[in-house]
Amino acid sequence: MEASSSDEAEPQSQSKTEDLLVQEGDIAGDYLERLLDLLDYDGDIDLDVEGGRAVVSIDGGEDLAKLVGPRGNVLESLQELTRLAVQQETGVRSRLMLDIAQWRAGRRAELAELGRSTAEKVLASGERARLHPMTPFERKVVHDAVAAIAGVHSESEGEEPQRRVIIFPKP
């Protein structure tokens, strides 16, 4: 009988985690909807749960590019403010991911290609490569792309905001 009670506890724990993530998304959606109303911007807010985190996307409005900013700087700041709004209501630090006008989705594809192509150059030349400074989101995408290629590995070096990825050939 003990086995069945622990089997029941695991789905219940997953359900609680999923419920918390849905709650985070709802709080974030409300916060961002108020922001869009204040700015008088149009946009549709989509809430989802992916990879153990709440994901909020805003799409559809012409003014949304202003909320992304150069290299996603405004988007990063808005994501942090949204995480703080969620934390204020839940009391729990949020790992919520915010995407606006599908900027992160497009950037993810660009960075994955950068990681792959740079890793292939490192493989061919045998010389390490240093990429330009990136945000934590950007570095993770590059690290994931490099990890999929045999014969190379990557590390981050430096301090924010100058932290960058270096790709090395494996000895």
Side-chain angles (χ1 to χ4, degrees):
M1 288 211 180
E2 286 180 30
S4 67
S5 65
S6 67
D7 288 345
E8 290 171 12
E10 188 175 320
Q12 189 175 26
S13 174
Q14 286 176 336
S15 175
K16 282 185 179 181
T17 302
E18 181 112 355
D19 289 348
L20 178 60
L21 293 174
V22 169
Q23 179 188 9
E24 284 185 16
D26 289 342
I27 294 167
D30 291 345
Y31 175 80
L32 292 165
E33 192 167 322
R34 288 191 307 269
L35 175 71
L36 290 175
D37 287 346
L38 284 170
L39 295 171
D40 197 27
Y41 285 8
D42 289 327
D44 297 321
I45 299 174
D46 182 45
L47 311 172
D48 203 358
V49 174
E50 294 175 13
R53 66 171 47 179
V55 178
V56 180
S57 302
I58 305 174
D59 290 306
E62 292 178 24
D63 295 316
L64 294 181
K66 295 173 187 172
L67 296 179
V68 173
R71 292 197 63 223
N73 290 338
V74 175
L75 172 59
E76 290 292 331
S77 296
L78 264 177
Q79 176 176 276
E80 193 56 32
L81 288 171
T82 305
R83 286 176 173 176
L84 290 170
V86 169
Q87 182 178 348
Q88 187 174 14
E89 279 203 43
T90 64
V92 177
R93 176 82 174 124
S94 174
R95 294 180 49 236
L96 175 132
M97 180 70 73
L98 175 62
D99 194 5
I100 298 175
Q102 297 182 2
W103 185 84
R104 276 194 205 278
R107 185 73 175 136
R108 184 177 283 116
E110 289 173 22
L111 290 165
E113 178 53 34
L114 174 67
R116 275 191 299 274
S117 64
T118 305
E120 288 168 3
K121 289 176 188 170
V122 167
L123 268 175
S125 71
E127 309 252 334
R128 74 181 188 165
R130 294 177 73 208
L131 301 179
H132 58 279
M134 298 179 185
T135 66
F137 158 76
E138 293 171 323
R139 289 193 310 271
K140 176 162 183 4
V141 173
V142 171
H143 285 305
D144 290 347
V146 171
I149 298 177
V152 293
H153 73 281
S154 61
E155 298 175 8
S156 292
E157 79 166 15
E159 299 295 321
E160 297 292 352
Q162 296 300 312
R163 196 155 170 82
R164 65 184 67 227
V165 174
I166 302 180
I167 302 171
F168 299 90
K170 286 188 178 172

